[in-house]
Amino acid sequence: MYEIIYTANLRGDLELMPRLYTFIKALRSRDELPGRPYDTRDDSRFLLLDLGDSCAPEVWHCAVTGGRSALIVLDAMGYHAARVNLDAAAHDRLRANLLAMALVDDDHPWQENAILLTSNGRGDLLGRPYALHIVLSPAAETRLDGGTLSLAAVKAGQVGVVQVSNEPALIHHTVYDLPPTALPDPTITAAVDFVLSEARQLQRKP
């Protein structure tokens, strides 16, 4: 069983992320799922993913960090992978930050055991077997076709939830809106403050 929670189009809104993290934790515990519509077996493989546009060039901290600021916060939130559009220097700097999160683009697919993540749907280029191929580019709808899972686009403040059986077969997919009652998580708030402080130091450099 594969359980996937995903976001997209955050576009540098770091203030949103502590509340988003609270909601994601609630979704994982099913506190926010009306009727608990799908199975919660303990052997589920969980993935937290971002489909891209986590930063935007017009946002000051994205500009001064080369798009790294939001990705560092996503890493602190426990994301397994994010689709990125970084130049080689920014990519190397993030790797130097010892990120646990995989950075996925056309040149960097990610595979762990039977799960493959790509940004372009070209799972055939890797040459290794996989059971489930997840494409991190947003799609018009969530669908599973021949072992390849496409995920419907979501807006900032929305969270997609998908469950796929081991066969694989699509069991459940829903997009939830972040509720106004979601409070900011203090740990992620601290991570945001740290990232903004580092960005301000970069901004002050001549």
Side-chain angles (χ1 to χ4, degrees):
M1 184 78 67
Y2 304 95
E3 182 180 44
I4 299 143
I5 293 180
Y6 70 94
T7 56
N9 293 304
L10 295 172
R11 300 190 62 80
D13 190 353
L14 299 188
E15 292 185 1
L16 181 69
M17 293 185 180
R19 296 180 57 237
L20 194 63
Y21 182 67
T22 297
F23 186 46
I24 288 169
K25 289 194 298 182
L27 288 172
R28 286 215 67 197
S29 67
R30 307 305 188 275
D31 291 345
E32 300 292 336
L33 295 183
R36 298 175 186 254
Y38 59 91
D39 201 1
T40 59
R41 294 185 297 183
D42 292 336
D43 62 351
S44 294
R45 171 64 203 273
F46 171 67
L47 287 171
L48 180 57
L49 308 173
D50 186 78
L51 305 190
D53 286 333
S54 59
C55 248
E58 67 271 16
V59 177
W60 74 269
H61 57 78
C62 293
V64 300
T65 64
R68 303 190 309 275
S69 51
L71 292 168
I72 292 171
V73 178
L74 291 180
D75 184 62
M77 293 168 67
Y79 276 68
H80 294 90
R83 185 172 68 89
V84 299
N85 182 20
L86 300 170
D87 61 33
H91 201 282
D92 290 345
R93 288 193 196 99
L94 277 171
R95 283 290 167 229
N97 286 115
L98 301 177
L99 290 187
M101 181 177 69
L103 305 175
V104 178
D105 59 24
D106 288 356
D107 296 322
H108 300 90
W110 180 76
Q111 185 169 4
E112 184 175 86
N113 300 322
I115 299 174
L116 171 66
L117 304 179
T118 70
S119 64
N120 55 15
R122 295 300 306 275
D124 58 306
L125 296 180
L126 201 61
R128 284 188 280 161
Y130 54 85
L132 180 64
H133 171 201
I134 304 172
V135 182
L136 294 189
S137 296
E141 62 179 352
T142 295
R143 60 179 298 174
L144 183 62
D145 184 12
T148 296
L149 177 66
S150 302
L151 300 170
V154 293
K155 301 175 183 178
Q158 293 184 321
V159 179
V161 178
V162 178
Q163 193 173 45
V164 175
S165 68
N166 291 330
E167 283 72 24
L170 184 61
I171 297 172
H172 169 82
H173 58 97
T174 304
V175 173
Y176 296 94
D177 292 321
L178 177 67
T181 54
L183 298 175
D185 179 87
T187 301
I188 305 306
T189 298
V192 168
D193 291 342
F194 172 78
V195 166
L196 290 176
S197 175
E198 293 290 302
R200 290 188 189 98
Q201 290 186 36
L202 285 173
Q203 194 178 40
R204 288 194 290 266
K205 287 185 178 180

